Amino acid sequence: MKMMLPLWIIDPVSAEKKLDGLASQGKKLVSMGFFGNCTFEDAAPRKVHHRIVLEKGGLKKGTAAKGWEELCSGKLFYVTCNENTDEDISYTSYRTLHSILKMLCFFMICGCIGMFSGMIMARVDMEKETLFVMPDTLIYSLIMIAVGAIWAAFIICDKKMPGETTKMGGYMKTIPEENFIYDKATEKRMLKEKTMKMAIKPGWFYAPDKAEQWVQDMARQGWVFYRFDPAGLCFYFLKEESAKLKFVVDYQNVASDEYYQLIKDEGWKLEFTSVSRTMGFTIWTKRWDDDEEEPYFYSDIADEYTRAKRLTLTFGLTIALMIVVCIGLMVLYFTTLAEDDSLPALLEFVIVYTVITIEYLIFLIRLIGYFFRVKAKTK
């Protein structure tokens, strides 16, 4: 018997349930290709739990010791089953891959929106009835819809995967649910009564060491960090007695369930995590008393330097590229496109792109400053 499971890499949970059902009907999986082409043979009906593990090397000895049986394997994955439904294997590899693909989808959508907007602006003199039926605008619209649908499929399928150790809240799912101690009405009242304070700091994560010191200083002054807003730009503080609070910003290539659990077991409280678990921020706090030593998140300065270097390279190159694009657009505008524009349109263009360029320059300077401050600690 042959069957196709073409979407297994997008929706592994549904594919595994399909294999569970076939096994209960006496169909045993004997081979599976990367594109989901499966071959089954007749066997005794079994009630087993299947897992398609996105990992090279096949079934590990430690996993086999827990009762898992390898059915087949490929270069990048293997399929295993277990009669004990309480045993499970982490879906971290899928979440990592999905995070990368969702990020690519996001950039593609942004690119299509940019191209679409540019074409609309270039055709403002055309008649309205012909504006949205041009072949290129239609193509970009269809690409945005298709990529958006793929993005939505990843989000929906990610929610099917069990094993999350941290339940996230907020409309962006970036803050642990238990961190929302007060409801919105209570928080609004506390802000009016000045028992709660809010501070907005856009771009603070480009100099995380300064933000860490600022939050710790606020705690000593009796304003103890409470939570972030879902975007991570607004800091909320509660009026309490002076406290010692360690505030740490960590930047991870991949933030797995194991990573969260390991840090929590060491007594740290998760305050925020980026929307994407790949190449994103996680923020932690930990209190300590006068008779205790100050807690340190990084094991040594070399470890902190590695993370600072990774953060600077990732965001520094991106910001530098955006600065080059903004300057290039201004040069192109003044040399080619601005001949027929009125003075107000010229001023608007100059002001907008000058502000954007200055903003990116500030972010880049803050990021480079952070890197050299951490580097200085290593000497």
Side-chain angles (χ1 to χ4, degrees), residues 60-239:
K60 303 294 187 294
K61 290 183 179 180
T63 308
K66 296 179 180 179
W68 290 94
E69 169 193 348
E70 183 174 313
L71 300 176
C72 60
S73 64
K75 293 182 178 180
L76 300 176
F77 71 97
Y78 64 90
V79 184
T80 181
C81 67
N82 196 330
E83 293 183 353
N84 184 359
T85 56
D86 292 332
E87 290 290 342
D88 203 0
I89 300 175
S90 172
Y91 285 87
T92 299
S93 56
Y94 285 99
R95 292 194 178 95
T96 301
L97 176 63
H98 287 189
S99 295
I100 295 172
L101 294 176
K102 283 187 289 187
M103 188 178 297
L104 291 176
C105 288
F106 173 76
F107 286 131
M108 287 181 66
I109 292 173
C110 289
C112 288
I113 292 174
M115 294 294 294
F116 187 83
S117 301
M119 289 184 291
I120 294 298
M121 294 176 64
R123 294 174 181 156
V124 292
D125 293 331
M126 300 177 67
E127 295 182 3
K128 292 182 179 179
E129 59 269 18
T130 64
L131 186 60
F132 294 98
V133 296
M134 301 300 291
D136 45 2
T137 56
L138 180 60
I139 289 172
Y140 282 114
S141 298
L142 292 175
I143 292 174
M144 282 193 292
I145 293 172
V147 175
I150 294 172
W151 192 10
F154 279 125
I155 293 173
I156 293 171
C157 293
D158 284 350
K159 293 183 181 297
K160 295 181 181 180
M161 298 180 192
E164 291 284 353
T165 59
T166 303
K167 299 297 183 183
M168 308 306 291
Y171 61 85
M172 296 175 70
K173 301 300 179 185
T174 54
I175 305 170
E177 290 180 350
E178 62 267 21
N179 290 19
F180 293 92
I181 300 174
Y182 306 104
D183 57 29
K184 291 183 178 180
T186 303
E187 288 184 356
K188 188 176 180 179
R189 176 177 56 79
M190 294 175 71
L191 287 169
K192 288 183 178 181
E193 295 174 350
K194 300 189 183 302
T195 56
M196 180 182 289
K197 179 187 292 187
M198 181 189 72
I200 302 175
K201 283 186 170 292
W204 66 267
F205 36 81
Y206 294 120
D209 57 333
K210 290 188 175 181
E212 291 172 359
Q213 188 61 51
W214 173 66
V215 172
Q216 290 170 202
D217 290 342
M218 290 287 287
R220 291 191 183 96
Q221 297 168 18
W223 289 102
V224 181
F225 181 80
Y226 164 48
R227 70 169 178 86
F228 279 106
D229 73 314
L233 299 179
C234 297
F235 293 71
Y236 287 83
F237 300 89
L238 294 176
K239 186 61 177 175

Side-chain angles (χ1 to χ4, degrees), residues 245-246 248 268 286-288 292-298:
L245 181 74
K246 191 72 173 180
V248 174
W268 292 88
K286 188 175 185 179
R287 294 199 187 201
W288 83 97
E292 297 176 330
E293 292 186 1
E294 180 178 350
Y296 288 95
F297 189 85
Y298 303 109

